[in-house]
Amino acid sequence: MASQLVKIESAPDLVDQVYRSLLDAISDGSLAPGARIMQEDIAEQLAVSRQPVLQALRLLKKDGFVLDAPGRGVLVAPLDVAWLVQIYQVRSALDALAARLAARARYPMDPKLISQGRLAARSNKIKAMMAADAQFHAAIYAASGNPLIAQSAQLHWRHIRRAMGAVLQVSTMRESIWDEHEAIAKAISAGDEDRAETLIRQHDEDAARNLASLLSSALNTQAHGDKR
């Protein structure tokens, strides 16, 4: 007997494009926490039908980026500081393993990763800065020779990217981050396993502390403002 499959109503790649567009806007702050998202507005802005927008919003809700809203539409979910710090703890462990394995292989890190990252930091374009950071860490995962590291990291990367976007919007340390990246890359290329692991672990731990401090401060400011 032939299998009976449910007909797909819209192309998956179109749903994915809408999902990525909305996630980009959430991550770079264009859609701030608490912002209301209306299905018909998004469909009009992206010049697509409502069906892929609906499916993309369902995926964003499942992944924790939007919440049901009273009335129409959905709301961009608030940033959960405690959850994000836990994600960074997992990221730190994966990064440390990747850096150690990459250093063991004396992988020659491409200096263009650093120069492009510095250019992105000076551009003040949040999306470009996030992309450069992602490329740097992805290069270390690839250099490790263990594909499971990248696969594991990818599970949480969308949330890390959103956290990164929130920090970059207010951080004054955009270029100094690339000083840290350069030191990590040099340790990997030199085959210094201990230094590469220590530097990247410190880098991630500092990022988590900075994230918690900035977001907690922003939430406190908002709470005081709401009381007035």
Side-chain angles (χ1 to χ4, degrees), residues 65-129:
F65 292 105
V66 301
L67 305 169
D68 286 329
R72 300 172 60 204
V74 296
L75 299 178
V76 176
L79 286 155
D80 186 331
V81 178
W83 165 247
L84 290 172
V85 168
Q86 289 174 339
I87 288 177
Y88 265 85
Q89 289 173 343
V90 174
R91 179 193 182 185
S92 178
L94 290 171
D95 280 2
L97 175 60
R100 175 169 285 278
L101 292 175
R104 185 173 301 169
R106 289 183 176 271
Y107 189 88
M109 296 292 290
D110 188 349
K112 288 183 180 179
L113 290 167
I114 306 301
S115 59
Q116 291 171 354
R118 293 191 187 279
L119 284 174
R122 296 183 195 120
S123 74
N124 288 325
K125 295 179 180 178
I126 303 298
K127 187 175 180 179
M129 287 187 272

Side-chain angles (χ1 to χ4, degrees), residues 13-31 37 42-43 45-48 53 56-57 60 127 130 161:
D13 61 328
L14 185 56
V15 175
D16 185 60
Q17 288 177 54
V18 175
Y19 178 99
R20 289 177 180 276
S21 179
L22 288 169
L23 185 55
D24 281 347
I26 291 171
S27 298
D28 68 18
S30 299
L31 287 171
I37 300 175
I42 299 302
Q45 289 180 51
L46 298 180
V48 298
V53 176
L57 289 174
L60 288 166
K127 187 175 180 179
M130 290 190 295
R161 190 167 175 269

Side-chain angles (χ1 to χ4, degrees), residues 176-218:
S176 64
I177 288 173
W178 286 96
D179 293 335
E180 296 174 13
H181 284 170
E182 185 172 16
I184 293 165
K186 286 181 177 179
I188 290 173
S189 298
D192 191 335
E193 296 180 35
D194 290 340
R195 181 167 173 76
E197 178 179 347
T198 297
L199 287 175
I200 203 164
R201 193 182 290 278
Q202 187 65 53
H203 172 73
D204 287 342
E205 290 174 356
D206 287 347
R209 280 193 295 271
N210 192 31
L211 168 70
S213 176
L214 288 171
L215 294 184
S216 296
S217 176

Side-chain angles (χ1 to χ4, degrees), residues 146-158:
N146 185 338
L148 294 177
I149 295 176
Q151 292 174 24
S152 300
Q154 192 61 37
L155 293 173
H156 305 295
W157 185 254
R158 287 168 294 183

